[in-house]
């Protein structure tokens, strides 16, 4: 009898361990642990799928639409924009890296400068969906800015450079640098240059002198 009791106890313990093991497995599969030093994103969207970006900053607002096959234009005027600058902002906002997660939910957005935000950007994707990124005030040590994606509501800190570049899309519009044209002639108006035979020095300009008469 004692052997039977011991056997039943062992089987019961084994059953409990199996149930616990299955429970741990299911929990980990639903909530996988984030690997150490893994990149955390405030927003993770394909940058190439962004068709339009609307920016609101302290200096006002602006918007850009993607050109096919490459480039961006100002949405209001249709004038081509500096592709590298707009691409830089779009790429970093679409794949917005978090320096740290602060809060899962934010009871008071104004406490972090997010209501109203210091700057915001709405990314419109090719399927018509939108993502609104809010950028708030600087952290106490001035090393980061508070930010969240409106649809998620999770508060993060982000690099200060992205906030500055978003602001500059409005305060310093990304107009392409014009290419330099052919340089103007350095000869004064009305001057003619008399060619000099090779090896006898530089040509001597004569200004306003009549040509010699030929008998």
């Amino acid at each position: 009898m004692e052997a039977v009791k011991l056997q039943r106890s062992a089987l019961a313990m084994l059953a409990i361990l199996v149930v616990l093991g299955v429970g741990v497995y299911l929990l980990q599969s639903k909530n996988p642990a984030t690997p150490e030093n893994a990149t955390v994103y405030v927003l993770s969207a394909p940058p190439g799928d962004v068709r339009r970006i609307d920016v609101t900053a302290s200096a006002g607002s602006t918007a850009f639409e993607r050109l096919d096959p490459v480039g961006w234009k100002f949405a209001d005027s249709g004038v081509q924009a500096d592709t590298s600058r707009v691409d830089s902002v779009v790429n970093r906002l679409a794949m917005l890296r978090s320096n740290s997660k602060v809060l899962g939910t934010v009871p008071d957005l104004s406490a972090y400068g997010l209501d109203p935000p210091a700057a915001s950007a709405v990314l419109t994707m090719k399927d018509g969906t939108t993502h609104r990124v809010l950028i708030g005030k600087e952290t106490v040590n001035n090393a980061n800015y508070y930010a969240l994606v409106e649809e998620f509501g999770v508060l993060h800190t982000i690099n200060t450079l992205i906030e500055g570049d978003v602001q500059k899309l409005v305060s310093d519009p990304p107009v392409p640098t014009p290419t330099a044209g052919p340089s103007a002639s350095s000869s004064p108006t009305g001057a003619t240059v008399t060619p000099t035979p090779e090896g006898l020095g530089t040509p001597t300009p004569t200004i306003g002198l009549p040509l010699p008469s030929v008998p």
Side-chain angles (χ1 to χ4, degrees), residues 44-130:
S44 179
D49 287 355
V50 179
R51 309 307 299 173
R52 178 182 170 112
I53 176 173
D54 290 79
V55 177
T56 302
S58 56
S61 60
T62 189
F64 305 92
E65 294 177 347
R66 191 180 290 275
L67 290 170
D68 289 324
V70 176
W72 292 90
K73 66 178 180 179
F74 288 87
D76 57 352
S77 65
V79 175
Q80 186 170 356
D82 186 331
T83 297
S84 61
R85 282 186 58 190
V86 180
D87 261 342
S88 175
V89 174
V90 168
N91 291 345
R92 283 178 290 159
L93 285 177
M95 298 293 294
L96 185 57
R97 296 189 178 194
S98 168
N99 284 349
S100 65
K101 178 181 174 181
V102 182
L103 290 171
T105 57
V106 187
D108 183 11
L109 292 176
S110 62
Y112 301 93
L114 294 164
D115 186 21
S120 67
V122 178
L123 304 180
T124 302
M125 313 303 289
K126 67 179 182 181
D127 63 0
T129 59
T130 59

Side-chain angles (χ1 to χ4, degrees), residues 11-59:
L11 289 174
M13 289 295 296
L14 180 60
I16 292 172
L17 290 174
V18 170
V19 171
L20 289 174
V22 172
V24 170
Y25 171 77
L26 292 175
L27 183 63
Q28 289 181 340
S29 63
K30 290 183 178 180
N31 301 285
T34 302
E36 189 177 357
N37 299 324
T39 301
V40 176
Y41 292 95
V42 185
L43 175 63
S44 179
D49 287 355
V50 179
R51 309 307 299 173
R52 178 182 170 112
I53 176 173
D54 290 79
V55 177
T56 302
S58 56

